[in-house]
């Protein structure tokens, strides 16, 4: 996958369409930007001085060349004018006189040039000597000023030394007196020795007392340890006794509760025994059905239309008795009233009674 490279946008420069120039790009203002160290500034200053000296020399050489060129032009013009002048003179004078005039003017020119050069050299020497004298005078003035300042500083130093000497002598005298007074007050260090002895005795007494207190503290610590041990044993014995007591009390309470429950618990009997008991109770308390129903129904064997060998009970009662007789021991007859119905043995009935 190719990635598009973004080209940095260069701000436009030059003349705009409306005739105005573009503003220069502004940078962040940094007060410390461009600052260099003193050594670098000195090197840059020396470099600038050397460059300026070289430029000055080059300017002087150029000016000298220009002046020499001007002088050559002037010399050519003067020679040309002189030649024209001598030609005009040759037209009017004899050639020998003209030659003599040439030689004389040449000699005068040489003399003038020599004198001019001598005067120039004398002027140069004079200016040089004057400059040197000025430099010497300024140096002498500086030296004299330095000597005067040195002399004044020496004078101040001597005054301060004399003042310090007087103060030192006065202070040393006072210090000597103080030392002598302190030595006389010490009295051979006897009070200090007595104080040191007293402090030594007090330290010894304090050490003995500390040892006694340490022994007492050790005794108390042993007693406290024995108390703690006895307390721990007593707590252990008490906790064991309490556990035994509460165990016995809990066991007695459980036995009492169990006895109460067993006392209030109904007796448990088997279903066959209960059925036999109920049957005996019914037989003892209820008269036989033949004796009970015969007088009521008038079926004592004297009824009308009764056949021989017929049942003395009604048909419904006879059927019930036959069914009970066939059931045998598996069914019982419980009578609670005149309309009681025979019921079969229910094994959950014992639980209902309980």
């Amino acid at each position: 996958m190719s990635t598009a490279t973004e080209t940095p946008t260069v701000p436009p420069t030059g003349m705009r369409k409306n005739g105005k120039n573009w503003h220069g790009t502004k940078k962040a203002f940094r007060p410390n930007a461009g600052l260099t160290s003193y050594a670098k500034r000195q090197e840059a200053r020396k470099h600038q001085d050397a460059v300026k000296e070289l430029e000055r020399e080059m300017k002087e050489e150029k000016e000298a060349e220009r002046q020499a060129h001007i002088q050559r032009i002037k010399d050519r013009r003067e020679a040309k004018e002189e030649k024209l002048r001598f030609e005009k003179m040759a037209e009017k004078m004899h050639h020998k006189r003209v030659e003599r005039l040439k030689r004389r003017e040449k000699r005068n020119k040489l003399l003038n040039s020599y004198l001019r050069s001598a005067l120039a050299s004398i002027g140069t020497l004079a200016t040089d000597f004057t400059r040197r004298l000025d430099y010497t005078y300024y140096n002498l003035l500086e030296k004299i000023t330095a000597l005067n300042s040195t002399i004044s500083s020496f004078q101040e130093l001597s005054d301060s030394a004399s003042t310090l000497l007087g103060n030192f002598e006065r202070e040393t005298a006072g210090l000597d007196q103080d030392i002598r007074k302190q030595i006389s007050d010490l009295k051979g260090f006897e009070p200090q020795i007595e104080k040191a002895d007293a402090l030594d005795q007090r330290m010894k007494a304090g050490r003995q007392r500390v040892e006694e207190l340490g022994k007492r503290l050790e005794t108390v610590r042993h007693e406290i340890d024995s108390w703690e041990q006895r307390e721990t044993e007593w707590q252990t014995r008490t906790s064991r006794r309490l556990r035994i007591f509460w165990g016995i009390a809990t066991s007695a309470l459980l036995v009492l509760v169990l006895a109460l429950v067993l006392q209030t618990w109904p007796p448990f009997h088997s279903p066959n025994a209960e059925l036999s008991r109920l049957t005996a109770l019914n037989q003892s308390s209820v008269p036989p059905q033949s004796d009970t129903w015969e007088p009521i129904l008038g079926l004592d064997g004297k009824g009308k239309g009764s056949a021989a060998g017929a049942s003395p009970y009604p048909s419904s009662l006879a059927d019930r008795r036959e069914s009970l007789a066939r059931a045998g021991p598996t069914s019982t007859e419980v009578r609670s009233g005149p309309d009681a119905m025979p019921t079969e043995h229910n094994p959950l009935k014992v639980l209902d009674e309980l």
Side-chain angles (χ1 to χ4, degrees):
M1 189 170 104
S2 63
T3 58
T5 59
E6 297 181 357
T7 59
T9 58
V10 180
T13 56
M15 189 70 70
R16 292 192 291 179
K17 291 183 179 180
N18 56 2
K20 297 180 181 180
N21 291 324
W22 293 95
H23 293 289
T25 56
K26 294 183 180 180
K27 297 181 180 180
F29 175 70
R30 293 183 178 87
N32 296 330
L35 298 181
T36 55
S37 61
Y38 179 74
K40 290 184 178 180
R41 290 199 299 272
Q42 287 294 107
E43 291 179 359
R45 193 175 292 112
K46 288 179 181 179
H47 181 67
Q48 290 178 0
D49 293 340
V51 171
K52 288 180 180 179
E53 184 67 24
L54 182 60
E55 289 178 354
R56 186 177 60 77
E57 291 178 357
M58 292 174 67
K59 286 180 180 180
E60 288 178 356
E61 290 177 359
K62 190 174 182 181
E63 184 66 23
E65 290 178 359
R66 191 175 69 83
Q67 292 296 333
H69 182 65
I70 292 170
Q71 189 64 34
R72 285 194 300 270
I73 293 172
K74 286 181 179 180
D75 292 340
R76 283 197 301 267
R77 287 177 181 178
E78 288 177 358
K80 188 175 181 182
E81 290 176 357
E82 187 177 356
K83 185 179 180 181
L84 291 174
R85 187 170 58 84
F86 280 120
E87 287 178 355
K88 289 179 180 181
M89 287 174 67
E91 292 176 356
K92 297 178 181 179
M93 296 180 186
H94 196 270
H95 63 90
K96 289 183 178 181
R97 188 178 179 183
V98 174
E99 290 177 2
R100 283 196 300 269
L101 288 173
K102 284 183 181 180
R103 287 193 298 269
R104 190 183 295 154
E105 287 180 2
K106 187 176 182 180
R107 185 174 59 251
N108 293 333
K109 189 183 291 185
L110 290 173
L111 289 172
N112 290 331
S113 63
Y114 177 74
L115 291 173
R116 195 180 293 112
S117 63
L119 287 172
S121 62
I122 290 169
T124 304
L125 289 172
T127 53
D128 190 10
F129 280 119
T130 304
R131 187 172 63 254
R132 288 181 181 180
L133 287 173
D134 292 337
Y135 289 160
T136 306
Y137 177 70
Y138 290 141
N139 290 329
L140 287 174
L141 287 177
E142 290 178 358
K143 298 294 183 182
I144 290 168
T145 305
L147 287 172
N148 290 328
S149 62
T150 306
I151 291 168
S152 61
S153 62
F154 274 118
Q155 185 66 31
E156 292 177 358
L157 183 61
S158 63
D159 294 338
S160 61
S162 61
T163 305
L164 287 172
L165 181 61
N167 294 331
F168 180 72
E169 289 178 353
R170 187 168 56 255
E171 289 177 359
T172 50
L175 184 62
D176 188 11
Q177 291 179 1
D178 293 338
I179 290 171
R180 291 180 184 277
K181 185 177 179 181
Q182 289 178 3
I183 291 171
S184 62
D185 292 338
L186 289 175
K187 296 179 181 179
F189 297 100
E190 292 179 358
Q192 286 79 6
I193 293 171
E194 292 177 357
K195 288 182 180 179
D197 295 336
L199 288 173
D200 189 11
Q201 293 177 1
R202 289 177 63 185
M203 288 175 65
K204 290 180 180 179
R207 190 180 296 109
Q208 293 177 359
R209 187 175 180 183
V210 166
E211 291 177 356
E212 293 176 358
L213 291 174
K215 292 178 181 179
R216 291 175 63 185
L217 183 63
E218 188 69 22
T219 305
V220 171
R221 188 173 63 81
H222 287 306
E223 291 180 358
I224 290 171
D225 292 339
S226 62
W227 289 348
E228 289 180 354
Q229 187 176 3
R230 288 197 298 272
E231 181 70 18
T232 305
E233 293 176 356
W234 179 80
Q235 289 180 357
T236 306
R237 189 166 53 253
T238 303
S239 62
R240 186 169 60 252
R241 290 176 180 176
L242 288 174
R243 285 196 299 271
I244 293 169
F245 171 74
W246 285 114
I248 294 171
T250 306
S251 302
L253 184 61
L254 289 174
V255 170
L256 181 61
V257 170
L258 185 60
L260 291 174
V261 169
L262 292 176
Q263 186 178 1
T264 58
W265 192 268
F268 179 76
H269 301 284
S270 63
N272 296 328
E274 183 67 23
L275 290 175
S276 62
R277 185 179 65 82
L278 291 174
T279 304
L281 182 62
N282 290 330
Q283 290 178 359
S284 62
S285 60
V286 179
Q289 292 182 0
S290 58
D291 298 336
T292 304
W293 288 98
E294 284 177 358
I296 296 171
L297 298 177
L299 300 175
D300 50 354
K302 298 177 182 182
K304 296 178 179 181
S306 61
S311 176
Y313 302 104
S315 60
S316 60
L317 294 177
D319 295 337
R320 289 176 65 184
R321 288 180 64 86
E322 289 177 0
S323 62
L324 290 174
R326 286 194 300 269
T330 59
S331 61
T332 58
E333 183 180 356
V334 179
R335 299 179 184 272
S336 60
D339 295 332
M341 295 293 292
T343 58
E344 295 181 357
H345 173 65
N346 189 3
L348 299 177
K349 186 176 181 180
V350 178
L351 298 177
D352 293 339
E353 292 178 359
L354 291 177

